[in-house]
Each structure stands twice: as C-alpha cells, then as structure tokens.
Amino acid sequence: MSWIPLADAGRLRPQARRTAVVRVGLAALAVGCLVAAILVSREAGGTKRTFFSNTRSSVVVIDTSGSIGPLARGLIGRTLRKLLAAHSSFGLVFFSDTAYEAVPPGTRWTELEPLLRYFEPPPEDRPRQLIETPWSEFRGGTRISTGLALARTILRQGHAGEAGVLLISDLNDSIFDVPSLTQTLTQYVADKIPLRVIGLNPAPRNKVLFERLMGPSVLVKEAELAPVRSRGGGSVVTSSVGPSRALTLAALALLLVLGAYEHWAARLRWREEPA
C-alpha cells in the first residue's frame, strides 16, 4: 500500500477521531445484534419452554380415572398438542388407583403423535360421548400418589437430574390417598424435582395440598394453555411465536448496522482523475 504525505494532515484529526468513535460504536452494535440473533435462534429452534423453567419435561403423568370426562380429556389433548408442537421428548405415565409407564422418558414427539386421537375434544352435538382408549379398562378410583411416585422412580433410575414432571389431573384424589400423596410431594421437594400441575377444572379444596407443599406456581395458569388460531382455521396450541419474530428483527437490525458502517465509517479512498 502506498500513500502521499499531506502537509495539513493535523486539520483532519477531529474528523479522524469522530470516524473512530463511529466505527467503535457501530462495531459494538453489530456484535450486540449478532449475539442477540444467536440467543433468539436457540430459543426459536425447537428447544421451547413447555411449562417448566428448563426445556425438558421428562415425564407427563395423566389421570385416567373414572372422574375424567370427555371435556377434561379434551384439555389433556390440548396440553399434549402443546408439548408436541414444541417437539418435546418425554415419557408418559397413566394412573387411576394404580399407575403404569406407557412410554419411557426421551420418547420422540413423532412417536407420541398417534396418541392424540384418543384425546380429541368431544363432538358439539355429543359433548358427553366417551371415546374408548387402550387404557379404558384401567379406569377406577383416583390415587395421585401412585402416578407421581412412579414418575419419581423413573427419573431416579434414569439419573435425569434436570428433568421434571407434569401432572394432568382433576385432583379429585381419594381421601385415603392423602397421607401417601403428602409423603410423595415432600419427596419431590427434598429431591428438587420440578413439578407442574394442570388442573382439569379442580375444586379449590383439591388444590390446597399442592399449593401448600409446592408453592402457588406449581399450578399451570390458563394463559399457558391458551390456543393459538392456525392459518388453516383450526385451533392449535403452540409455543409463543415471539422468538421467530425477534430473530427476524435482530437479523434486520444487524443488516442495518452493517450498512451504516459501510456508509459512515468506510476508509477514505483516493480516486485519480483522468488527465
């Protein structure tokens, strides 16, 4: 590279300092936009939050007792659709007065999709119609402790340190199960196992034990289950669309900053005029 000496170069020092400040500022903005785009892309790339503070809901415990009617079953379907829309991998435990493991933790969402047909909302003209399912014969009384205890055993055997449990139930537990349920919830607290509960129209008195032992945040709010209208007119439950929109905005901001850098902070270039 060659240059020519300039006698009054000192007069250009303020402009040079201003250009340096602009370069540093725009470079910092570009790095910030890039970091923001990377962070948002991770959240939008399929590791979406589904009821837990982390991105894993390792075991979903579903109440199939006799008190679960068609409307409650439709709410179970909404929950499962939200989990599958987030491409979550999890295990399933069904319970009534006993519990059994339907699929192990880590089962891919694609393998769980066929189960959705058993949790379709009831027809409007037959709102109380029951759908036969593979576990219909297990419909009996309600002992929530059996489902939660089995989920805890599964997590402990799998050494899943960051995993959580999602309980879906009307919480209409047998009075004879209260001591066992209290002991099981106490074990969850001691083991620091995250637990969230989706109540299927539970009576206020049935929520007291969970809130007292696990805190008020244990109950999933209705807003977390709100359906989102799909383009085809159907009603689906998905994670928030905010991350993809934020990713677009971050990428656009990065492009604008790079354009501003080229316009205001480019190197001074000499052009030789033809004789």
Side-chain angles (χ1 to χ4, degrees):
M1 180 181 294
S2 60
W3 62 86
I4 58 175
L6 189 63
D8 56 349
R11 299 175 57 185
L12 298 178
R13 286 175 183 169
Q15 289 83 353
R17 286 194 295 268
R18 183 180 61 191
T19 300
V21 171
V22 171
R23 282 180 177 175
V24 172
L26 291 176
L29 282 175
V31 172
C33 291
L34 181 60
V35 171
I38 293 174
L39 294 177
V40 172
S41 65
R42 289 180 177 177
E43 185 176 355
T47 56
K48 305 173 185 178
R49 296 184 178 187
T50 51
F51 309 116
F52 293 99
S53 59
N54 55 39
T55 57
R56 298 175 56 191
S57 61
S58 293
V59 179
V60 179
V61 181
I62 299 179
D63 189 345
T64 60
S65 61
S67 60
I68 301 298
L71 295 178
R73 186 175 294 177
L75 183 55
I76 294 174
R78 287 172 55 187
T79 304
L80 291 177
R81 284 183 181 84
K82 182 165 186 177
L83 292 169
L84 298 183
H87 296 182
S88 300
S89 298
F90 53 91
L92 276 178
V93 168
F94 294 112
F95 77 93
S96 56
D97 48 3
T98 59
Y100 71 98
E101 181 181 5
V103 295
T107 302
R108 284 182 54 82
W109 61 276
T110 51
E111 301 177 44
L112 296 167
E113 279 187 326
L115 294 177
L116 291 178
R117 69 179 183 271
Y118 299 117
F119 297 99
E120 294 292 338
E124 294 183 0
D125 57 338
R126 288 174 292 175
R128 297 184 178 277
Q129 181 184 14
L130 286 173
I131 301 176
E132 289 297 320
T133 67
W135 49 87
S136 293
E137 59 184 276
F138 297 99
R139 291 169 60 89
T142 305
R143 289 184 176 268
I144 300 176
S145 65
T146 61
L148 292 181
L150 178 56
R152 174 176 173 268
T153 299
I154 292 171
L155 293 183
R156 288 172 62 87
Q157 291 177 346
H159 304 287
E162 297 180 358
V165 173
L166 176 65
L167 170 65
I168 310 176
S169 170
D170 60 3
L171 307 183
N172 188 20
D173 199 23
S174 168
I175 190 173
F176 301 105
D177 187 50
V178 173
S180 297
L181 178 58
T182 302
Q183 181 181 4
T184 302
L185 293 178
T186 303
Q187 292 172 337
Y188 269 68
V189 174
D191 295 341
K192 298 181 180 179
I193 299 176
L195 174 66
R196 301 297 305 280
V197 177
I198 294 180
L200 305 175
N201 300 317
R205 67 177 184 276
N206 294 332
K207 299 186 292 185
V208 173
L209 180 62
F210 290 90
E211 292 178 326
R212 187 173 71 242
L213 294 179
M214 309 296 292
S217 62
V218 68
L219 294 172
V220 175
K221 294 180 174 58
E222 182 64 24
E224 297 182 65
L225 295 171
V228 178
R229 187 66 56 182
S230 65
R231 292 183 179 179
S235 183
V236 297
V237 179
T238 61
S239 296
S240 172
V241 296
S244 60
R245 186 179 304 169
L247 177 60
T248 302
L249 293 176
L252 181 60
L254 178 60
L255 291 176
L256 290 176
V257 171
L258 292 176
Y261 187 91
E262 288 295 324
H263 181 74
W264 284 306
R267 286 182 174 274
L268 181 63
R269 298 181 182 276
W270 296 97
R271 185 176 64 182
E272 184 177 355
E273 295 291 341

